Amino acid sequence: MKKTIITLFAGLVLTVSCKKSPAATKQIEEKPVEKTFSQKIEVAHKKDAFLTHEAIQFDALIEFGGNEIFDAKVTVSTTSDLAQITYKNGDEIYINKETIFVSPSLKDNPGVRFHAYTWSYFFLFPYKLNDNGTKWNANFKTKEVNPIFDIAKLTFGANIGDAPDDWYIVYKNKNTHLLEHAAYIVTAGKTKEAAEADPHAIKYQDYKMVDGIPFASNWGYYGWNIETGLADKIGSATITNIKFVEGFRNNFSIPKNFLKK
């Protein structure tokens, strides 16, 4: 009899334990975290796939006011720390982080540093949105009517890059999340107040797929204002021969006669 009672008690405990175990092991389902404005752009532009490559190369022909201001082949690491620019006439610029080296023929050219960083930055812009020192205001609004765009403002911390006072107002497509255009100021060589009196915008157009990653093959440059957005077109850039290249780091070698700027 005692044995029977013990057996029944053990069976009851086992039954209760079995009934409780599903509740004990039940996990709370977590809601997925909503991606930020800039993260959505990075996903649309395949940032993870982009960074699996060592470097990318493209030809850029840039015109403002009907005048050609840049015609060169740009090779830049996907992490943007190294770059080589080869002009059509043979002049060259090498960039190693914050330091640039130029062929002797460019030693007195005042625009070298601007050209060294600006065009590759515009090309890499979708992959630079969360660099160290970037600050986002997702609540920023312009006064224009723009139902197909989401907008946010990008600023920078002190001592970030050559021009930390620069800012960008970034437009992305609400459906594809691809970068559409970005208003910006250029403070290089001028005060922030002077730059803000003449903001411009770059419009990214004609996306082409390269190894499954979208790149804008035409850029339009426009005036811009916070009331109506894009204004008159002032320039353009044609981007061709886009391709990934490997071995760039191993082959990166600054010629001995080049000058540090």
Side-chain angles (χ1 to χ4, degrees), residues 26-40:
K26 185 179 180 180
Q27 295 181 350
I28 299 173
E29 293 183 5
E30 295 183 0
K31 293 182 179 180
V33 178
E34 175 75 8
K35 285 185 168 54
T36 65
F37 176 93
S38 57
Q39 288 171 338
K40 289 177 181 178

Side-chain angles (χ1 to χ4, degrees), residues 120-139:
S120 60
Y121 185 80
F122 281 148
F123 184 90
L124 296 173
F125 192 60
Y127 312 105
K128 304 287 290 175
L129 304 179
N130 287 303
D131 281 0
N132 289 336
T134 53
K135 298 180 178 181
W136 283 95
N137 178 359
N139 297 317

Side-chain angles (χ1 to χ4, degrees), residues 188-208:
K190 62 180 76 171
T191 65
K192 184 178 180 181
E193 291 72 23
E196 288 183 328
D198 186 29
H200 294 160
I202 177 172
K203 184 174 178 62
Y204 293 92
Q205 306 169 97
D206 300 332
Y207 277 96
K208 298 184 183 301

Side-chain angles (χ1 to χ4, degrees), residues 25-26 110 113 143 146 184:
T25 58
K26 185 179 180 180
R113 196 167 186 89
K143 297 180 181 179
N146 42 49
Y184 63 91

